[in-house]
Amino acid sequence: MGARKRLMAEKIKAAKKDLSYAKLKGVPSSPRKMRYVVDMIRGMEVNRALGVLRFSKKQAAQDVEKLLRSAIANWETKNDRKAEQGELFVTRVFVDEGVTMKRMRPAPQGRGYRIRKRSNHVTLYVDAKTNDEQK
């Protein structure tokens, strides 16, 4: 690795140390289905987001709820205290496409239809709003 690339990598790593986040990789559902759930909680206060996820009928909501609880725990570990009511917010959350498994399904006249079993990766950032951001 070149010197410039290493310096940039160290700078990114140092910036991530201050952030509290959680990643969920290889979830066996399509990214499109996961994005519907993630869009419901983006920018929301954490306790309200947990309530929305708890009562959602979507299967992906269970995975995102578990991920959100993990991100909250990561924030509490980094700050050495429990989060107060209304303090934490979901600042960033995004879904990336994961590995696609390709399978074949028998089709008429000796052909085969391709089945794509998609997966995704979810990244969720949690942070406390400061006084400047609240104004």
Side-chain angles (χ1 to χ4, degrees):
M1 187 182 320
R4 210 172 19 169
K5 196 171 185 180
R6 187 180 317 104
L7 287 174
M8 193 61 186
E10 289 171 0
K11 194 181 293 184
I12 291 170
K13 191 175 180 181
K16 278 191 173 182
K17 262 188 183 170
D18 298 337
L19 301 174
S20 298
Y21 63 96
K23 287 184 180 182
L24 184 61
K25 292 190 170 193
V27 183
S29 72
S30 70
R32 184 176 181 176
K33 291 177 186 175
M34 187 64 80
R35 284 188 188 111
Y36 285 129
V37 174
V38 163
D39 289 341
M40 288 191 300
I41 64 161
R42 184 174 285 122
M44 222 180 247
E45 194 268 323
V46 165
N47 292 327
R48 185 158 180 243
L50 285 171
V52 167
L53 292 171
R54 169 67 56 141
F55 296 107
S56 174
K57 293 181 180 178
K58 301 269 186 200
Q59 179 66 35
Q62 293 176 351
D63 296 328
V64 177
E65 181 184 357
K66 191 172 180 181
L67 182 69
L68 180 57
R69 289 185 188 282
S70 175
I72 294 167
N74 291 343
W75 185 89
E76 289 174 347
T77 303
K78 280 188 178 182
N79 293 302
D80 295 328
R81 64 185 179 91
K82 296 288 274 182
E84 295 174 10
Q85 182 74 21
E87 180 181 13
L88 288 180
F89 289 84
V90 177
T91 53
R92 287 176 50 199
V93 57
F94 52 91
V95 179
D96 295 323
E97 191 172 336
V99 180
T100 302
M101 294 191 298
K102 295 172 178 81
R103 301 288 182 261
M104 294 299 285
R105 180 177 190 161
Q109 299 180 356
R111 286 186 298 240
Y113 291 153
R114 176 174 280 178
I115 296 173
R116 290 185 299 275
K117 296 189 174 190
R118 300 177 188 272
S119 68
N120 62 62
H121 308 310
V122 186
T123 308
L124 193 142
Y125 288 84
V126 168
D127 200 9
K129 281 200 173 179
T130 59
N131 291 334
D132 298 334
E133 293 173 1
Q134 289 175 353
K135 292 178 184 177

